[in-house]
Amino acid sequence: MPFSTTQIRPATQQDSLCLAALGQQVWLDTYAQDGIRPALAAYVYQHFSPARFAQQVCSAQQRLWVAEAHGHLLGYLQLDLAAPCPVAGGGTVEISTLYVLRHAQGQGLGRRLLDAASQHAHGSSHAGLWLSVNATNLAAQAFYARQGFGQLGEIDFELDGVRHPNQVLYRGTQAAQGDRP
């Protein structure tokens, strides 16, 4: 399937089922390297359910964009417009999720989704975008560095009593690029 025909568009209620499946697939592919255990399964079913996406698509606090080719979702980006950064200087707009299916990576879809979110943040006069990325996810770190994000600090993501170090990254909008790397 040629990815050159992929469109980036706002998510709708009708995307909820596919968003849930895509989120589950990418999360498990990225983080369940040792297999599935109850804590992982519970997290995935709680955080990537069709009902949760249906709610988020309608939320005034959330914005979601999808990458779609020929009726198939290949990725999505979710913004939380009211998520104070846990590290000083990161603002309040979080890229809570940017997922692209493994076979569609490296085709510019993540960058295009990020561009849509950046345009929204800039058009809404938000100072910039922050996110957290697992400290062992070197591919994601490299992607965000190429997109102009710099590290502000570190936080932990805790799952089932285990702490996983995450880097907190930030990029100002075009109007605020001098604020941070």
Side-chain angles (χ1 to χ4, degrees):
M1 167 182 329
F3 298 117
S4 61
T5 60
T6 302
Q7 69 170 342
I8 306 300
R9 63 169 177 78
T12 67
Q13 285 280 334
Q14 290 75 26
D15 295 317
S16 298
L17 181 64
C18 291
L19 283 166
L22 192 152
Q24 290 174 12
Q25 180 176 347
V26 173
W27 197 93
L28 289 169
D29 186 49
T30 304
Y31 299 112
Q33 297 300 308
D34 295 329
I36 308 296
R37 64 185 189 339
L40 296 179
Y43 180 86
V44 166
Y45 282 114
Q46 178 184 3
H47 287 87
F48 301 104
S49 71
R52 187 166 183 172
F53 277 105
Q55 183 181 38
Q56 291 168 336
V57 166
C58 293
S59 170
Q61 183 175 316
Q62 306 288 320
R63 298 289 181 274
L64 286 95
W65 291 268
V66 297
E68 178 185 44
H70 308 289
H72 295 84
L73 295 191
L74 301 170
Y76 75 94
L77 183 142
Q78 182 172 1
L79 281 186
D80 187 332
L81 302 175
C85 184
V87 177
T92 60
V93 179
E94 177 189 16
I95 298 172
S96 56
T97 309
L98 173 51
Y99 284 170
V100 175
L101 293 171
R102 183 177 299 278
H103 73 278
Q105 292 176 2
Q107 306 298 315
L109 301 181
R111 180 192 45 77
R112 290 176 59 202
L113 286 162
L114 189 56
D115 288 347
S118 295
Q119 288 175 4
H120 177 80
H122 181 68
S124 301
S125 67
H126 294 287
L129 302 169
W130 74 270
L131 61 97
S132 64
V133 62
N134 188 288
T136 63
N137 191 341
L138 301 180
Q141 292 172 36
F143 167 78
Y144 289 117
R146 288 191 306 274
Q147 306 311 312
F149 283 81
Q151 186 173 350
L152 281 180
E154 295 182 0
I155 59 172
D156 286 329
F157 171 79
E158 189 171 330
L159 179 62
D160 198 31
V162 178
R163 293 176 179 239
H164 303 274
N166 278 240
Q167 295 179 353
V168 176
L169 308 178
Y170 176 82
R171 182 181 81 181
T173 60
Q174 292 176 355
Q177 281 294 326
D179 294 348
R180 292 278 184 255

